[in-house]
Amino acid sequence: MLGKILKQFASPSALARAGVLSMNRRNRDFIMKYNLRRYYPMVDDKLRTKTLAEQFGVPVAPLIGAIRCQYEVKQFENMIRNRSGGFVIKPGHGSGGRGILVIRRHSGNSFEKNDGTLLDRVQIHRVITDILSGLYSLGGQVDYALLEECIDFSDVFRNYSYQGIPDVRVIVFRGYPVMAMIRLATKQSDGRANLHQGAVGIGLSLRNGVPRMAVQFNQPVSRHPDTGVPLRDLRVPFWKEHLELAARCADMIQLGYFGADIVLDRKRGPLLLELNARPGLAIQIANHAGLAARLERIEQLDPASHPTPEERVAFAREQFA
Amino acid sequence: MLRVFAPDRRIVLLVSALVLIALSILYFKVHVLKFTLLPSPETELWLLECRVKFETPGGPVRASISMPEEVPGYFLTGVSTTPGFRFDSEERDGRLIANWSGTADGGTHTILYQMRLIPDRHAGRIADPIEPVRKPVWSDGITAAAAEAFLKQLDPGGRAKPEVLIPRVLKELHNRNLPSVRTLLPENRQGAHFVRIAGKLLAMRGIPSRLVEGIYLVDGRRRQMLSAQLEAFYGNRIHRFDPLTGKLRTADGFLPLRNGDTSLLEIQGVRNPKFHISVLKTSVTAANLNQLRGSLVRHSWILDLSGFNLPLEEQNLFKQIAMLPLAILVIVIIRNLIGLQTMGTFMPVLISLAFLDTGLTAGIISFVLIISIGLLIRSCLTKLNLLMVPRISAVVILVILLMKIMSVIAYTFGFTHGQAVTYFPLIILAWTIERSSMIWEEDGPRVAVRQLLVSLLACLPCYLLMSNATLQCFFFSFPEMNLIVLALILLIGVYTGYRLTELKRFRPLVLPCSEKF
Ligand SMILES: Nc1ncnc2c1ncn2[C@@H]1O[C@H](COP(=O)(O)OP(=O)(O)O)[C@@H](O)[C@H]1O
Ligand SMILES: [Mg+2]
């Protein structure tokens, strides 16, 4: 009985040998050490990230506008009146996909969500009002609503995702990409790309972006649970560009350790979706590899050894195949 | 290599300093102030109630009662419970002097002075030395001759040892058939006078002795008069004898209050003063006893910091929160060493605090009831699409109404624990309902229920620790132990090893993987 229970646990020393990064160590040795608190707003505030990215030439989904006060709510129609494509409304300080409204198409008073349901103007006003009241922001502080163009996600992922768009998560440490995965939304995750909600995570080889293994709820899977396509065949085009985009983010924000979420737009190529100062640890399971060893390898490097993002990406692809 | 603690000199220094400070204060309290370390929940405490009754025609009155600061086995503290007089107390020559003064109306008055005996093995061990023998002076030649004759009859050779001679003297001095006794004690008086005469006789044989007066510690003995005893010095020790029986006495509960000429009561401006001492046994918790010990030592900053000088009411308040750090430590362990997520960091602590008032079963039942009914109603609110602040406010009000209804229903059905619900922190309940309903919507009922269960489970160790009487006493008497709790929390704060749940979560990473593409 006891043996059976114990068998479900790994020994700490085995985990350490495998180079697995623990939550406590991530927080203390990496996030606290390399991410100064005062730089957090750069990533926690989506508008600031976006403006910074535009300054540094990092491609992002184009901004439509921001709504900050209740009396501006009705103006959202003016903002989107002359746009034919879809748009997205999201809380400026949101996280975990909460409060995000993706409108695929719209005409007049009819707005089509990406799952096909139709909303009217009043319902959209209410979503914005909710965002402004701080419903989706940390600690409930007042927030603003951000409007951006809908990303027209690339056909290459057509059958790999249920509703939401797949995004590539790259962990960047001191400017070097150290690990990557792609997250696929499922029915169970409600179209969201968060692993703990049931999205599929596929570890990607840093060298060429080829899948290493796939997990859902920490269990290995070989096919997409909703569409049934074999996951091993997935290929991420513009792999080098993905990594270089992530590495370039390190130059624009002063964080030493972060996760970059990148989506592939049909026309614009890889776009930065958002940055995360506290990226999760499940990426280790999707890659069947520990982060600690890779982070220690980077920590030993002379900071001046690879000054450009391209050099750092080349080094990482070489080191962390 | 398994690097579990980040070697940080500041932390090591800080933690050692905290532990060192805590242990020093503990050592000071246990070895110098004689605090009980591991308390049995109840200890006995003796109370002496001194009562001075007097009459006055009206006018200024002054009274003072002098008591020893320590007696064998006890330290003494006193409080006046007499309204209408100015009261102050001082320490002088090893005695506590309590002074009353004021102007009294004509009539009968009573001064009450309550003394507590705080047990201490070391108290009063060094007794005042007995003065060497002075040649006794008798009032006249006849008495001197009678004394000579008395001693000669008892001890013709003059070589009897003190331990033999003293009982014999005390006993024969009661024998009124002897003419010498009738001369020495013409009025057959007992008590102090008797002991003084016996002392004079012993002095003639070179045995130093003195009169002590005190009372007996017998529970419920009201209105005790002072009892006189004889103390003699021989064999390098002081021995006490009961003049009535002549027997050597040890450990009979006799409490010496004065010897020689010190007077217990001095009073001016009154008629007919009567002085009684009543003895009373009460029991106190060890924590209260430690508290009394604390009040004994005036002007000690360590005790000032420990809060023993605060008014009793405030001290009781601290008793409630004295254990909180321990519960917080539990939460830190659950989150950072075990790795379980609770709903709201300190919510389990606050809920278990409520359990302390409600009792565990009643508490859990009402908690589960409120949360589930609250969730049900909250799910109806979702459909109304309310803004956040009004919606949470609505939940708070609903929780209030729920509490009311539940206690009413419980009361009607005869459950005395009906009002248990009112102890719960309202806002915490409302937030718990709000958060769990959000999690319910976003991550599904399974996640929400699991987080609620984990939170409730986390309450259990918090509750068990905080409701433990022994721990309560301990932490109340030794609040410096919280420094050790703090040190532990700091240590966990630099723990970078794996959490228990991570050992399970990351187990696939140490197994060979066949599912690799
Ligand atoms: N511009 C967009 N176009 C289409 N979908 C989007 C867009 N922005 C966000 N999304 C969808 O919302 C999800 C979460 O967006 P993100 O910006 O990462 O917010 P969060 O910080 O809440 O995770 C994405 O995974 C994606 O499915
Ligand atoms: Mg995201």
Side-chain angles (χ1 to χ4, degrees):
Chain A
M1 176 65 184
L2 189 68
K4 216 171 166 186
I5 293 173
L6 280 181
K7 253 198 204 129
Q8 300 188 353
F9 293 86
S11 86
S13 52
L15 283 181
R17 254 180 278 120
V20 176
L21 183 65
S22 71
M23 186 63 91
N24 288 343
R25 180 148 182 235
R26 180 203 75 169
N27 291 344
R28 200 177 135 79
D29 288 355
F30 297 101
I31 292 186
M32 277 185 215
K33 193 162 159 196
Y34 291 101
N35 295 354
L36 292 186
R37 256 234 111 81
R38 71 187 128 119
Y39 297 128
Y40 274 31
M42 290 183 172
V43 295
D44 286 346
D45 182 333
K46 291 202 162 71
L47 194 57
R48 280 184 76 171
T49 316
K50 203 181 269 297
T51 22
L52 265 178
E54 279 164 354
Q55 269 171 35
F56 281 77
V58 173
V60 286
L63 175 72
I64 296 174
I67 296 171
R68 297 183 178 276
C69 325
Q70 192 59 39
Y71 64 82
E72 293 175 349
V73 169
K74 297 218 165 80
Q75 284 179 13
F76 107 90
E77 281 151 274
N78 301 335
M79 289 180 176
I80 51 114
R81 177 160 301 139
N82 302 322
R83 294 176 184 272
S84 51
F87 63 94
V88 172
I89 303 174
K90 58 169 100 172
H93 290 92
S95 65
R98 273 191 290 271
I100 294 188
L101 185 65
V102 181
I103 300 296
R104 232 175 6 194
R105 275 186 286 269
H106 64 99
S107 64
N109 190 21
S110 154
F111 301 86
E112 186 186 332
K113 270 196 341 187
N114 59 341
D115 63 1
T117 47
L118 291 175
L119 300 180
D120 61 18
R121 185 185 297 129
V122 180
Q123 279 167 310
I124 295 206
H125 287 169
R126 189 165 291 141
V127 169
I128 299 176
T129 309
D130 264 352
I131 291 176
L132 296 187
S133 75
L135 183 53
Y136 305 109
S137 69
L138 217 70
Q141 338 111 287
V142 281
D143 205 355
Y144 63 88
L146 186 79
L147 267 75
E148 66 181 22
E149 277 180 30
C150 187
I151 293 163
D152 183 11
F153 78 91
S154 172
D155 277 334
V156 292
F157 299 134
R158 176 61 60 198
N159 283 319
Y160 287 103
S161 191
Y162 174 84
Q163 284 178 2
I165 40 176
D167 67 352
V168 171
R169 155 73 57 94
V170 182
I171 304 279
V172 181
F173 180 49
R174 303 178 84 181
Y176 296 84
V178 287
M179 202 173 268
M181 70 170 166
I182 187 166
R183 299 180 299 179
L184 313 176
T186 63
K187 198 171 193 157
Q188 219 171 351
S189 76
D190 209 9
R192 281 173 297 188
N194 293 319
L195 292 195
H196 76 271
Q197 287 169 329
V200 170
I202 305 177
L204 300 175
S205 155
L206 271 197
R207 187 184 309 243
N208 45 23
V210 168
R212 298 164 59 104
M213 73 174 292
V215 292
Q216 186 188 26
F217 286 123
N218 290 349
Q219 296 305 313
V221 286
S222 55
R223 291 168 180 277
H224 191 282
D226 305 314
T227 63
V229 293
L231 297 170
R232 64 183 316 147
D233 299 338
L234 182 134
R235 289 294 175 271
V236 183
F238 306 109
W239 181 242
K240 186 159 155 270
E241 286 73 11
H242 273 86
L243 294 184
E244 284 174 359
L245 190 157
R248 222 174 309 136
C249 291
D251 296 337
M252 93 190 191
I253 54 165
Q254 277 86 336
L255 298 182
Y257 182 85
F258 62 87
D261 292 351
I262 302 165
V263 287
L264 191 56
D265 187 88
R266 196 200 299 262
K267 296 188 208 78
R268 299 186 185 94
L271 301 180
L272 176 64
L273 185 62
E274 68 159 341
L275 293 171
N276 198 324
R278 315 163 196 79
L281 295 173
I283 194 171
Q284 300 182 104
I285 304 170
N287 274 275
H288 202 264
L291 266 170
R294 298 186 180 190
L295 297 174
E296 280 159 16
R297 175 82 186 83
I298 300 290
E299 233 173 1
Q300 287 158 6
L301 287 179
D302 176 5
S305 48
H306 304 96
T308 67
E310 290 76 16
E311 283 171 281
R312 295 195 294 265
V313 167
F315 175 83
R317 293 176 76 184
E318 180 67 29
Q319 287 284 318
F320 313 128
Chain B
M1 192 201 62
L2 192 60
R3 225 173 33 135
V4 162
F5 285 100
D8 185 328
R9 202 175 301 146
R10 285 170 312 169
I11 295 280
V12 173
L13 227 66
L14 196 57
V15 166
S16 341
L18 285 173
V19 172
L20 210 71
I21 292 173
L23 290 184
S24 326
I25 300 179
L26 184 75
Y27 182 86
F28 174 74
K29 282 184 175 172
V30 171
H31 282 267
V32 182
L33 304 183
K34 310 296 171 208
F35 274 38
T36 320
L37 186 60
L38 271 184
S40 56
E42 296 266 297
T43 330
E44 60 186 33
L45 178 77
W46 290 99
L47 296 177
L48 302 186
E49 196 180 71
C50 309
R51 186 182 285 262
V52 184
K53 205 169 171 186
F54 57 84
E55 285 161 27
T56 163
V61 172
R62 289 177 156 282
S64 67
I65 292 180
S66 154
M67 287 282 182
E69 274 187 288
E70 49 185 298
V71 295
Y74 299 98
F75 283 109
L76 275 74
T77 64
V79 283
S80 162
T81 47
T82 315
F85 289 94
R86 237 188 351 272
F87 172 77
D88 63 73
S89 65
E90 56 185 321
E91 293 149 53
R92 205 193 307 141
D93 304 332
R95 295 187 75 83
L96 283 173
I97 320 275
N99 299 308
W100 290 263
S101 60
T103 314
D105 302 330
T108 310
H109 296 267
T110 308
I111 283 175
L112 279 175
Y113 184 50
Q114 201 182 58
M115 306 213 73
R116 289 185 267 214
L117 301 182
I118 297 158
D120 190 312
R121 273 183 296 127
H122 303 272
R125 274 208 306 210
I126 308 154
D128 295 338
I130 294 180
E131 282 172 36
V133 177
R134 260 179 284 145
K135 194 162 172 43
V137 183
W138 300 99
S139 49
D140 50 61
I142 303 167
T143 326
E148 218 37 89
F150 180 78
L151 283 173
K152 187 147 260 162
Q153 194 183 354
L154 288 188
D155 178 23
R159 276 191 303 274
K161 292 202 173 110
E163 56 265 46
V164 181
L165 185 62
I166 297 169
R168 220 183 267 168
V169 166
L170 290 171
K171 216 164 159 202
E172 285 303 308
L173 216 45
H174 287 296
N175 183 357
R176 299 202 66 81
N177 294 330
L178 293 179
S180 53
V181 170
R182 287 200 300 274
T183 315
L184 285 168
L185 287 165
E187 289 163 52
N188 191 14
R189 266 162 62 193
Q190 299 294 320
H193 182 65
F194 181 90
V195 173
R196 275 200 200 97
I197 297 295
K200 274 183 168 179
L201 291 167
L202 292 174
M204 291 172 69
R205 286 291 162 103
I207 302 170
S209 72
R210 70 170 167 217
L211 160 75
V212 287
E213 288 174 286
I215 50 162
Y216 284 98
L217 281 185
V218 180
D219 188 24
R221 179 84 68 86
R222 322 273 315 161
R223 298 168 161 263
Q224 273 198 60
M225 306 291 277
L226 285 183
S227 142
Q229 309 245 312
L230 179 109
E231 277 184 347
F233 185 81
Y234 59 85
N236 263 329
R237 249 169 26 86
I238 294 177
H239 301 261
R240 181 165 55 80
F241 293 86
D242 183 354
L244 284 177
T245 60
K247 287 203 174 108
L248 178 70
R249 303 305 302 260
T250 47
D252 56 352
F254 180 77
L255 209 65
L257 295 181
R258 73 165 179 199
N259 53 43
D261 305 320
T262 30
S263 59
L264 292 185
L265 173 70
E266 272 171 26
I267 191 159
Q268 293 161 16
V270 309
R271 276 195 306 248
N272 219 353
K274 291 201 179 74
F275 184 41
H276 295 289
I277 297 176
S278 302
V279 176
L280 230 119
K281 189 165 82 174
T282 60
S283 67
V284 289
T285 62
N288 281 332
L289 193 60
N290 283 339
Q291 186 181 336
L292 285 174
R293 288 203 168 101
S295 64
L296 201 67
V297 180
R298 279 148 278 245
H299 320 302
S300 159
W301 61 271
I302 286 184
L303 292 167
D304 284 348
L305 277 186
S306 302
F308 285 119
N309 291 344
L310 290 176
L312 273 183
E313 240 168 89
E314 256 114 284
Q315 291 201 21
N316 284 335
L317 207 91
F318 275 104
K319 226 179 240 178
Q320 287 230 331
I321 57 172
M323 306 282 293
L324 269 186
L326 213 55
I328 290 171
L329 175 66
V330 169
I331 295 295
V332 173
I333 289 174
I334 286 179
R335 290 178 72 104
N336 283 60
L337 296 189
I338 300 181
L340 291 175
Q341 290 296 314
T342 55
M343 202 163 273
T345 312
F346 292 115
M347 175 271 225
V349 176
L350 295 169
I351 296 296
S352 46
L353 214 54
F355 284 174
L356 284 185
D357 287 321
T358 62
L360 195 58
T361 340
I364 289 180
I365 291 175
S366 9
F367 179 76
V368 170
L369 268 178
I370 293 186
I371 295 291
S372 18
I373 301 177
L375 273 176
L376 208 75
I377 300 175
R378 170 63 177 73
S379 69
C380 303
L381 285 185
T382 309
K383 300 194 184 92
L384 300 180
N385 279 328
L386 300 179
L387 292 178
M388 186 191 63
V389 176
R391 191 179 56 217
I392 294 179
S393 315
V395 174
V396 171
I397 292 174
L398 279 172
V399 170
I400 296 176
L401 292 179
L402 258 177
M403 284 178 161
K404 175 109 197 176
I405 293 172
M406 276 175 60
S407 25
V408 169
I409 292 179
Y411 185 77
T412 354
F413 283 96
F415 295 113
T416 40
H417 288 301
Q419 68 284 56
V421 283
T422 52
Y423 289 108
F424 283 106
L426 204 102
I427 306 294
I428 295 289
L429 283 183
W431 266 109
T432 307
I433 292 173
E434 178 66 22
R435 285 182 66 138
S436 29
S437 92
M438 299 251 290
I439 295 176
W440 189 298
E441 279 167 35
E442 278 162 25
D443 301 334
R446 252 194 38 212
V447 181
V449 170
R450 201 185 56 207
Q451 274 209 25
L452 277 173
L453 277 183
V454 168
S455 307
L456 200 55
L457 224 63
C459 288
L460 285 184
C462 294
Y463 171 80
L464 290 179
L465 283 178
M466 289 201 288
S467 61
N468 184 306
T470 314
L471 272 177
Q472 256 176 19
C473 288
F474 185 70
F475 268 76
F476 179 67
S477 301
F478 307 101
E480 60 275 9
M481 284 302 106
N482 288 329
L483 295 182
I484 291 190
V485 173
L486 179 61
L488 282 176
I489 290 178
L490 289 183
L491 273 185
I492 297 177
V494 295
Y495 171 77
T496 53
Y498 300 103
R499 301 171 180 176
L500 190 63
T501 50
E502 284 178 335
L503 297 183
K504 190 168 179 206
R505 180 183 180 204
F506 292 133
R507 197 177 85 104
L509 286 172
V510 299
L511 302 175
C513 184
S514 52
E515 281 86 0
K516 249 184 187 165
F517 299 140

